[in-house]
Amino acid sequence: MQTDILELVKAKKEQLVSRRRDIHKHAEAAWTEFRTASIVAETLTRLGYQVSVGAEVIEAEVMMGVPSEQELLNHQERAIAQGADPQWVAKMQGGKTGVMGVLHFAQPGPVVAFRFDMDANDVLEATADEHRPWREGFASVNPGAMHACGHDGHTSIGLTLAEVLVEAKQQLAGTVKLIFQPAEEGVRGAKAMVSRGIVDDVDFFVGLHLGIGLKKMGTMTCNTVGFLATTKLDAVYTGVPAHAGAAPETGSNALLAAATAALNLHAISRHSQGASRINVGVLQAGTGRNVIPDKAVLKLETRGTTSEINEYMYKRALTILEAAAAMYEVKLAVAPMGGAANCENTPALVTRLQQVAAESNLFDSILPEGNIGGSEDCTYFMERVQQKGGQVAYLMVGTKLAAGHHDSRFDFEEESLVTATALLSKAAVELLSTK
């Protein structure tokens, strides 16, 4: 069966591209992927997978950075107007747009999971002829949402992998789980799926990303490194407004509390055991020059090369946020808006998949490692699988990029969809083989 995989996937190229372009055209940001998720659920059901959605795969209490109830309702209505099945959308109330398809094969064997992210970025897509999606008519029709990171490609790859595994099922053993995750941008979605226990029985877990550090077709790695643990926070200060000239002493200045916090957050001592980061990216406060500001919002993040270093930065940040509130006698509310763990691949699985890649003849260069250079909440899945005794690997497949990730002119070479799908299909056959 291994030798037939590439031809099988090549025959599906038109469908791979068509799916990717349809998802790109109807881009949906974090927790609003109602149309995308309903297409995924419908396709997996048609193929014979046992499909779980909504609260079955998303723990509501762990969701971070969820839009307002009204925003979610607006996006649901838009999704249905753009072709989403209302019955599937109804099961995703509250933004629970995760989907998992499970397929059991006849012979006993391992549980193998593949994860694909579905969400778009909060980006206004370029409208210029040199931008291929615009030129060829598949640019986003949803203002302010754009697939500027390749998740449209990932979702298309996952659905085509689902088809390949059904066609190869007589040669396979064990169980496959295909996990379609919402809200990767802002690292908000994985933890809520992990908390439902959906990977607690997984023996082998594989994640994948197009591009990132590999910007050349024909390159790949099964050993992605450089995952930074991170915590995203919103800190809201609430004080007492007052006339700045007539009665300033009766007010409590939320702006000064936030400014004091911002300066001191950047003064946190760095950690000796690895890289540590903190950044205040947004400070919003005040209504007028003659009013003591009673509201202020800080949006910040911490990072670390290990989860322990990130936790150190996070705890120190909380101390400073609270101290600033006490100094200016204002109230403080801190809301988690996203997070990711640090994680490393399992060497044994990396070696096994590198061998699959080498034997596939799909690549000119198989790199010993590649640096992701940031945070990815797939690490929550990876961390949990390893904690339960399983093995994990995060792959990167190279592709030529029209512009960098999260750029309004982002686009990738669609031939990489074939390459990545063939690679994952071969990996699945290797890990689920009856041999």
Side-chain angles (χ1 to χ4, degrees), residues 239-267:
V240 178
H243 193 293
E249 75 280 3
T250 65
S252 296
N253 198 316
L255 185 156
L256 291 181
T260 297
L263 290 173
N264 284 281
L265 285 166
H266 282 271

Side-chain angles (χ1 to χ4, degrees), residues 137-274:
F138 64 97
S140 177
V141 297
N142 297 329
M146 176 197 170
H147 275 290
C149 200
H151 298 183
D152 50 345
H154 300 168
T155 303
S156 181
I157 289 166
L159 290 177
T160 305
L161 173 64
E163 294 180 355
V164 172
L165 295 180
V166 168
E167 295 179 38
K169 65 182 180 181
Q170 297 304 320
Q171 289 76 39
L172 304 178
T175 298
V176 68
K177 292 186 172 186
L178 302 181
I179 299 167
F180 291 82
Q181 181 206 315
E184 190 285 320
E185 299 297 347
V187 287
R188 291 177 271 174
K191 194 172 185 179
M193 297 192 82
V194 169
S195 296
R196 291 297 291 164
I198 65 172
V199 295
D200 286 359
D201 62 345
V202 169
D203 298 298
F204 301 105
F205 177 92
V206 179
L208 172 137
H209 209 299
L210 298 174
I212 304 290
L214 304 185
K215 299 179 177 63
K216 182 180 178 182
M217 286 290 296
T219 59
M220 70 83 60
T221 184
C222 296
N223 186 30
T224 302
V225 300
F227 292 106
L228 294 177
T230 186
T231 303
K232 319 292 187 185
L233 302 170
D234 281 1
V236 179
Y237 289 102
T238 304
V240 178
H243 193 293
E249 75 280 3
T250 65
S252 296
N253 198 316
L255 185 156
L256 291 181
T260 297
L263 290 173
N264 284 281
L265 285 166
H266 282 271
I268 293 174
S269 176
R270 297 305 183 256
H271 204 286
S272 65
Q273 300 303 307

Side-chain angles (χ1 to χ4, degrees), residues 56-77:
E56 296 172 317
V57 294
I58 296 283
E59 190 75 53
E61 292 75 14
V62 189
M63 295 169 70
M64 296 181 283
V66 183
S68 69
E69 183 177 350
Q70 187 58 56
E71 287 180 273
L72 291 173
L73 289 173
N74 292 343
H75 286 295
Q76 286 179 227
E77 292 174 2

